[in-house]
Amino acid sequence: MRPLPPTALALRGLKVLVLNTVIALGITLFDNHSFGLNLVYSNCIGICIWCYIECANYFLVDNWQKHVSRLIFIVPVSVVLGYVSGHLLTDLILGTTSFQYWKQTPRMAWGMLFVSLVAGGTICWVFVSREQLAAERQNLEIARRQASEAQLKLLESQLEPHMLFNTLANLRALISLDPARAQTMLDHMIAYLRATLSASRAPAGGTRHTLADEFARLHDYLELMAIRMGPRLQFTLDLPDALRDQPVPPLLLQPLVENSIQHGLEPKVEGGRIRIAASADHGRLTLQVQDTGLGADPTRLQGQATPSPGHGFGLQQVRERLATTFGSEGAMLLVAAPEGGISASVTFPLKI
């Protein structure tokens, strides 16, 4: 049996009362009885019909798509039973004997039964149409969510080898220059990949991957890069305690940090500093990656729709993952930092 939400039931009952009142007004215009008497009859009959239809739907219709044909029997049976019960209830309330009405004016009695059938059928048709429309919307939303999750997983699966290839290329260069440091770097990389791959297997949407996890992975990665760059690389991570449990898509900031090192700090002879920070304001979370590297034209980077090999892939991944996870609520902004370099920030709604 389907659940029966009290609010929806009360709303339907209110609509039935309004319709009963309209019917009573219409009958009064063409009948000699008072509006009050017609209102009692209309409400007693209408409420009884509605109760029979609701009970039948509750016990006999589990799925509107499969069982909608049962309404062909439910509606007429419920209307006839409700019509008879409504008259009995009216007689009980007013002390009348309304069934003499069938002997005195049978044509009028059949006409009223026909009106009840039309009203009951119309109400059921409107109700079923709304239920089917709501079910279709729900199915469409489920399909859209599944498509978004599949796309997010695809983007994450593309990101993992991208990061791995970059790290291996760096390791290959270090092996010939400093084997001891290459060995240390390899140990760090194994530990980092073990933790990173676990994070990337989190459910799509990042409901289990927290900002604390994301910053921990970035700290591991920056330690890894510091082995290769030495004192030329300095970094800070600023994560307020209040934001540690905020869920984020896994590896969201990884491409931005890689870009800062690969294109900003590494080519710079004296190196530089990278700062990663999180902040919240007016219900939105802002994550910022700022470096003091060589910098680039932010306008060109923002408008780079099709990345060339080795350039723009990470930025495109971040844009697409924000769009997939947060829709129009997610945004990324690149600006030239005042002290040189690039400042990349992503914003999206906080989850409270």
Side-chain angles (χ1 to χ4, degrees):
M1 290 183 290
R2 291 174 293 112
L4 200 59
T7 304
L9 190 63
L11 185 61
R12 290 201 293 270
L14 182 62
K15 292 178 179 178
V16 169
L17 290 177
V18 172
L19 180 62
N20 292 340
T21 304
V22 172
I23 292 175
L25 280 171
I27 294 175
T28 304
L29 293 176
F30 303 97
D31 188 67
N32 296 326
H33 297 94
S34 66
F35 171 71
L37 181 65
N38 289 333
L39 184 63
V40 174
Y41 269 103
S42 179
N43 271 306
C44 288
I45 294 172
I47 290 173
C48 287
I49 292 173
W50 174 59
C51 289
Y52 281 120
I53 291 177
E54 285 287 352
C55 291
N57 287 340
Y58 182 71
F59 289 106
L60 302 178
V61 181
D62 286 333
N63 187 312
W64 285 113
Q65 304 292 336
K66 296 179 179 178
H67 303 147
V68 68
S69 59
R70 296 181 182 180
L71 291 176
I72 297 175
F73 305 98
I74 290 175
V75 173
V77 171
S78 298
V79 168
V80 172
L81 289 176
Y83 188 77
V84 175
S85 301
H87 276 89
L88 293 175
L89 181 60
T90 305
D91 290 343
L92 184 64
I93 295 174
L94 301 180
T96 57
T97 55
S98 56
F99 281 100
Q100 291 181 355
Y101 183 65
W102 284 87
K103 296 180 180 178
Q104 296 169 356
T105 54
R107 185 176 178 181
M108 182 71 74
W110 283 109
M112 293 301 298
L113 180 58
F114 177 75
V115 170
S116 299
L117 277 170
V118 171
T122 302
I123 292 175
C124 271
W125 178 78
V126 172
F127 170 68
V128 170
S129 298
R130 291 172 63 90
E131 287 280 328
Q132 289 181 323
L133 183 60
E136 289 176 0
R137 286 176 178 170
Q138 186 178 16
N139 292 335
L140 184 63
E141 178 62 25
I142 292 173
R144 189 196 65 78
R145 191 181 307 118
Q146 289 175 340
S148 296
E149 291 178 353
Q151 185 181 3
L152 189 57
K153 277 297 181 187
L154 176 62
L155 294 173
E156 289 173 5
S157 66
Q158 292 173 336
L159 187 59
E160 290 167 12
H162 174 73
M163 181 275 299
L164 181 60
F165 292 150
N166 280 350
T167 307
L168 288 176
N170 294 332
L171 181 61
R172 182 179 182 278
L174 192 60
I175 286 175
S176 59
L177 298 174
D178 192 340
R181 290 174 64 193
Q183 179 66 45
T184 305
M185 185 178 185
L186 182 61
D187 293 340
H188 280 286
M189 189 181 74
I190 292 172
Y192 169 75
L193 287 179
R194 184 178 292 114
T196 299
L197 292 178
S198 176
S200 69
R201 297 294 185 264
T207 55
R208 294 181 183 175
H209 185 73
T210 65
L211 203 51
D213 296 330
E214 183 74 0
F215 270 59
R217 300 291 82 75
L218 292 176
H219 182 269
D220 290 338
Y221 177 77
L222 290 170
E223 288 285 359
L224 194 62
M225 292 298 102
I227 293 174
R228 182 163 56 86
M229 294 181 62
R232 294 175 57 240
L233 174 63
Q234 300 176 34
F235 65 88
T236 57
L237 295 101
D238 184 7
L239 175 60
D241 290 339
L243 299 178
R244 293 182 61 83
D245 295 330
Q246 278 295 315
V248 295
L251 306 175
L252 178 65
L253 297 181
Q254 178 76 32
L256 301 181
V257 176
E258 283 190 58
N259 275 352
S260 289
I261 293 177
Q262 184 177 358
H263 303 296
L265 298 175
E266 199 168 27
K268 193 175 181 179
V269 176
E270 66 273 27
R273 172 176 290 277
I274 181 171
R275 177 177 179 268
I276 305 166
S279 61
D281 188 27
H282 294 90
R284 293 183 65 80
L285 178 66
T286 299
L287 305 176
Q288 185 181 40
V289 178
Q290 183 176 356
D291 67 72
T292 59
L294 295 180
D297 182 0
T299 305
R300 181 179 62 82
L301 294 176
Q302 286 280 19
Q304 196 168 16
T306 304
S308 57
H311 296 81
F313 174 82
L315 296 179
Q316 185 191 32
Q317 291 294 306
V318 175
R319 288 194 190 96
E320 292 183 2
R321 296 181 76 202
L322 286 173
T324 301
T325 309
F326 304 104
S328 60
E329 293 292 320
M332 182 177 71
L333 180 64
L334 298 176
V335 296
E339 61 272 32
I342 289 289
S343 174
S345 60
V346 295
T347 60
F348 47 84
L350 276 170
K351 288 188 177 180
I352 301 176

